[in-house]
Amino acid sequence: MKLIFIGSSEYGIPALEELVSHKEHQILLVISQPSRPKGRKQILEATPLALAAAQLGFEVFTPEDINSEASLTRIKALQPDLIITASYGAFLGRELRKTALCLNLHPSLLPQYRGSSPIRTAILNGDTISGNTIFRLIARMDAGPILVQESLSIDEGECYSSLHDRLANHAAMLLMQYLMTPESFPEQPQDESLATYTEMFGKTDTLLHWHNPCNLILNKIRAYAEEPGAYTMFRDKELKILYAQMDSPGSPHEPGTICKIIKNQGFTIAAGDGEILISKVQAAGKRAMDAWAFHLGARLNPGEKVG
């Protein structure tokens, strides 16, 4: 097939790399979002997928509006058989969808978790099963008929970064299965009565509230690890909590209190219904480190408060 690949985040990179390795398919064009200013210095930075595509030797097309007349003219001139999208971050209009069959790779078991943050939402909700769906794009977000769908277990204690990477590799495998025999995957409509939606997450969502139950706090830590990291305030600075686990149910201490220092492991913090053992942290302006090493430098004291 002659393909156009459209994406922005890391999620689509394994699929693009897998397509490149299969010489029977020709990638006509890679499209991504334009470079945006990032960080304190607001330096222009290309999307992860654009960087990966450039390393693979592609000239990446980054239109401000993929549905503009200029964009459509360029895409239509290539006469693609198939357009594949993966975490692109913009709507593909009707004219573009008429150009070729448009498929989307989505990291959830649709119609569950439509929208921009299905992986984080699944972890926040404490789910034990996730998966990928390949579906045909229509006008409504993530609502098109399903072609391929397969579940993937969420390991106990697994964080966002690990699950994201496993889902991305899994999606690449499913895509190649589809491309080998597309006629074997008839369209199946989604059950609208089962549809659920996810939201965009921002900085305020990553703040930990120690009065919450332990399971909610642990799920939030997992959902934002390793990036951007759930955080608490400690000595008037942000402290990201990157890995933690249940220590003990119940605690005589007020939520947010540092309770115990455990040699070579870390320290515990009281939550709403127990104590959580903190194993990996990242202080403001520092690299991630194990919590015991952080204690040695910061000299934590039982009874100190966080949050």
Side-chain angles (χ1 to χ4, degrees):
M1 288 188 177
K2 295 188 298 181
L3 310 172
I4 290 177
F5 195 93
I6 305 176
S8 295
S9 79
E10 293 92 341
Y11 173 71
I13 293 175
L16 177 62
E17 292 175 340
E18 193 67 27
L19 284 168
V20 170
S21 72
H22 285 256
K23 303 302 182 183
E24 66 271 26
H25 303 300
Q26 181 186 3
I27 301 175
L28 304 171
L29 184 66
V30 176
I31 302 175
S32 192
Q33 290 284 347
S35 298
R36 305 293 187 197
K38 295 284 182 69
R40 293 180 180 178
K41 296 183 178 180
Q42 293 291 282
I43 297 173
L44 284 178
E45 185 176 310
T47 69
L49 188 126
L51 292 171
Q55 290 180 345
L56 291 168
F58 292 101
E59 180 183 355
V60 185
F61 180 40
T62 57
E64 285 288 348
D65 180 6
I66 195 172
N67 299 298
S68 69
E69 185 175 346
S71 297
L72 290 172
T73 298
R74 179 168 182 178
I75 292 168
K76 288 180 179 180
L78 296 172
Q79 298 182 322
D81 301 313
L82 181 64
I83 295 174
I84 299 168
T85 70
S87 190
Y88 174 54
F91 175 73
L92 272 60
R94 185 171 180 268
E95 281 301 309
L96 184 50
R97 296 196 309 274
K98 286 167 56 180
T99 302
L101 175 63
C102 294
L103 302 184
N104 182 253
L105 314 182
H106 185 81
S108 82
L109 300 176
L110 291 173
Q112 186 183 41
Y113 299 150
R114 294 174 178 175
S116 62
S117 55
I119 303 176
R120 294 197 200 281
T121 302
I123 296 176
L124 284 169
N125 289 343
D127 293 356
T128 58
I129 299 293
S130 183
N132 281 292
T133 303
I134 300 177
F135 67 96
R136 178 169 60 81
L137 285 176
I138 62 173
R140 290 186 297 121
M141 180 183 68
D142 298 337
I146 293 170
L147 292 162
V148 190
Q149 186 173 86
E150 190 170 287
S151 62
L152 194 72
S153 63
I154 301 175
D155 295 336
E156 184 177 358
E158 187 168 24
C159 71
Y160 169 84
S161 296
S162 169
L163 180 58
H164 171 279
D165 291 351
R166 290 204 298 124
L167 284 167
N169 290 324
H170 180 250
M173 179 196 70
L174 289 185
L175 176 62
M176 300 318 300
Q177 287 180 4
Y178 170 81
L179 292 177
M180 281 192 291
T181 56
E183 66 279 0
S184 302
F185 300 94
E187 293 186 352
Q188 302 292 330
Q190 294 190 37
D191 185 344
E192 289 297 321
S193 68
L194 300 177
T196 59
Y197 297 86
T198 64
E199 300 177 357
M200 293 277 292
F201 292 114
K203 175 73 172 181
T204 57
D205 296 300
T206 64
L207 177 64
L208 295 169
H209 300 282
W210 296 101
H211 62 274
N212 284 338
C214 291
N215 69 307
L216 294 185
I217 294 173
L218 290 170
N219 287 346
K220 178 175 278 195
I221 292 169
R222 293 168 55 218
Y224 293 106
E226 302 250 331
E227 291 289 341
Y231 76 98
T232 189
M233 298 303 295
F234 177 63
R235 297 176 183 171
D236 298 323
K237 294 182 179 180
E238 289 186 12
L239 178 66
K240 292 182 180 181
I241 310 296
L242 301 181
Y243 188 80
Q245 61 194 77
M246 191 69 191
D247 180 68
S248 60
S251 176
H253 302 282
E254 183 181 347
T257 304
I258 296 175
C259 306
K260 300 190 293 284
I261 310 297
I262 303 177
K263 187 175 182 179
N264 295 327
Q265 293 189 52
F267 54 93
T268 67
I269 298 178
D273 60 354
E275 293 181 16
I276 292 172
L277 173 61
I278 310 302
S279 304
K280 188 176 182 180
V281 301
Q282 184 176 6
K286 302 289 183 65
R287 294 181 178 181
M289 65 179 73
D290 68 74
W292 173 249
F294 173 75
H295 154 69
L296 294 177
R299 299 182 181 276
L300 305 183
N301 298 303
E304 275 192 278
K305 296 291 183 65
V306 302

